[in-house]
Amino acid sequence: MKAQIIKTGIIVFPGTNCDLDTKRACEFFGWETDFIWHDETSLNKYDVVFLPGGFSYGDYIRAGRLARFSPVVMALSDYVNKKRGFLIGICNGFQILCEAKLLPGILSVNDNTKFICEEADLLFENKEITLPIAHGEGRYIADEKTLQEIKSKKMDFLKYKNNPNGSAKDIAGLWDKENNIIGIMPHPERAIFAETGNIDGRAFFEMIEAAIKGKLLSTGKI
Amino acid sequence: MKKYKADIIVTLKKGVRDPQGTAVDTVLKRTGLEENAEVKVGKFFALSVSGNNELDARNKLNKICEDVLSNPVLESYEVERFLEE
């Protein structure tokens, strides 16, 4: 059994600003990383693809709306349908995934109308962790039926302890029902290195690493 | 091919909480200008659409509104003006 290096693609739009943080976080875990420009359409060599945080296309019209029509996001549907790897949207990436209907529901303006930039206390798979949040449109909204499905299929792996933005059911992070896609509003990639004063983000990347290894094992790649 | 000018207003659907509207409401109340203004904050778009005829252009406009300018989960849109250029 040979060790398989995890191949990571990090998508960059005009206005993305967390691409480098995401790259450094992935490299901390020994993953290989490539930046992917938004007009790229072939993603199949990647075990995991990140839509990092930022303000893609200036958040014009609303957050994530225009990014949804870029060639790379169109190609993501194919990547997901083939169940090739994991797709992870952080912050603006989560907004794009919802706009592209790859995750259910939508993210709208925070309850208090402010851009919130602070450390948020969270429940991550029943453990208490703290992660930085930085968003103006982070209030998760979905209809009752969707919220029930999220609860019954345990898709909400991350919840706010003191809901800062008014999200339905305190939802801060979400798997899709097939467990291939993740949307997460807080920034785990900003809480990896001890110098930043917070290493709680490592738990999130460890969860992804375990999921990828599980997938590679089941497909006979390692 | 004919060209039409259209004005579109996108607002949050009824029942979706509008924190920006509530903030403006609070200001109107505080300044004594209006007690219950029930402000809704939305977006305005002015654009041109082409089509073989009016129906054709209107169909295209509806698609633009549904796919790009609004998200039906959250928002609804109204065509405020539709005139041949």
Side-chain angles (χ1 to χ4, degrees):
Chain A
M1 193 161 103
K2 68 175 168 58
Q4 174 97 7
I5 293 175
I6 292 171
K7 291 193 181 65
T8 315
I10 299 166
I11 295 173
V12 183
F13 296 99
T16 298
N17 62 15
C18 299
D19 38 347
L20 204 54
D21 289 350
T22 307
K23 179 184 163 73
R24 289 193 177 131
C26 292
E27 286 172 354
F28 176 81
F29 289 91
W31 306 356
E32 221 174 72
T33 58
D34 282 343
F35 287 130
I36 306 169
W37 191 231
H38 61 108
D39 55 5
E40 184 63 56
T41 53
S42 85
L43 302 168
N44 288 331
K45 66 173 167 174
Y46 299 110
D47 301 310
V48 55
V49 173
F50 280 89
L51 287 162
F55 301 85
S56 57
Y57 298 93
D59 277 357
Y60 298 150
I61 304 191
R62 57 183 307 275
R65 177 68 53 77
L66 293 182
R68 168 190 153 197
F69 297 99
S70 60
V72 77
V73 174
M74 307 284 210
L76 283 173
S77 307
D78 183 52
Y79 179 83
V80 169
N81 289 338
K82 280 186 186 153
K83 300 194 192 307
R84 168 62 189 89
F86 294 93
L87 171 58
I88 297 161
I90 301 173
C91 195
N92 189 227
F94 190 4
Q95 294 163 338
I96 295 168
L97 290 174
C98 287
E99 280 290 347
K101 299 192 178 86
L102 289 164
L103 283 173
I106 199 80
L107 293 143
S108 189
V109 178
N110 295 339
D111 241 358
N112 63 3
T113 68
K114 290 176 184 157
F115 187 95
I116 307 173
C117 185
E118 61 185 31
E119 298 274 315
D121 292 330
L122 299 149
L123 282 174
F124 173 65
E125 296 179 325
N126 299 323
K127 286 191 302 272
E128 288 188 22
I129 64 167
T130 302
L131 289 177
I133 56 169
H135 57 247
E137 295 180 48
R139 176 168 53 113
Y140 184 75
I141 299 173
D143 59 34
E144 207 44 51
K145 193 168 152 259
T146 308
L147 291 173
Q148 275 173 12
E149 189 178 27
I150 287 170
K151 194 179 169 197
S152 67
K153 293 189 173 152
K154 297 193 171 66
M155 291 153 65
D156 49 347
F157 70 95
L158 191 68
K159 292 187 161 222
Y160 297 110
K161 278 186 73 185
N162 314 301
N163 199 338
N165 53 25
S167 287
K169 309 285 179 199
D170 303 327
I171 289 171
L174 205 62
W175 279 101
D176 73 322
K177 34 182 174 183
E178 310 278 334
N179 278 25
N180 289 316
I181 309 173
I182 281 181
I184 176 171
M185 216 51 214
H187 287 276
E189 81 284 10
R190 295 187 191 173
I192 299 295
F193 298 97
E195 295 91 319
T196 63
N198 182 355
I199 57 165
D200 285 1
R202 291 181 190 178
F204 175 76
F205 283 83
E206 282 158 4
M207 175 182 85
I208 304 300
E209 191 166 59
I212 295 168
K213 287 193 170 151
K215 192 177 190 108
L216 290 175
L217 268 175
S218 71
T219 52
K221 287 197 175 162
I222 51 174
Chain B
M1 210 53 135
K2 288 178 175 168
K3 278 211 118 183
Y4 300 84
K5 269 199 175 308
D7 291 349
I8 312 294
I9 291 178
V10 175
T11 49
L12 289 172
K13 270 185 176 170
K14 231 182 157 172
V16 175
R17 212 161 358 117
D18 181 359
Q20 296 181 99
T22 311
V24 181
D25 261 344
T26 309
V27 169
L28 293 181
K29 199 171 177 178
R30 194 189 299 139
T31 51
L33 285 168
E34 185 60 63
E35 202 51 35
N36 280 312
E38 295 179 21
V39 179
K40 282 278 199 186
V41 175
K43 293 190 182 80
F44 171 80
F45 300 90
L47 66 151
S48 297
V49 277
S50 56
N52 293 325
N53 50 50
E54 185 176 334
L55 183 67
D56 194 33
R58 273 190 185 271
N59 285 340
K60 196 203 277 180
L61 181 65
N62 286 338
K63 192 163 167 48
I64 291 171
C65 290
E66 280 159 27
D67 290 357
V68 184
L69 304 184
S70 75
N71 183 321
V73 179
L74 191 71
E75 298 156 326
S76 55
Y77 68 90
E78 272 173 53
V79 181
E80 284 294 302
R81 192 172 70 107
F82 188 88
L83 291 170
E84 193 174 340
E85 269 182 31

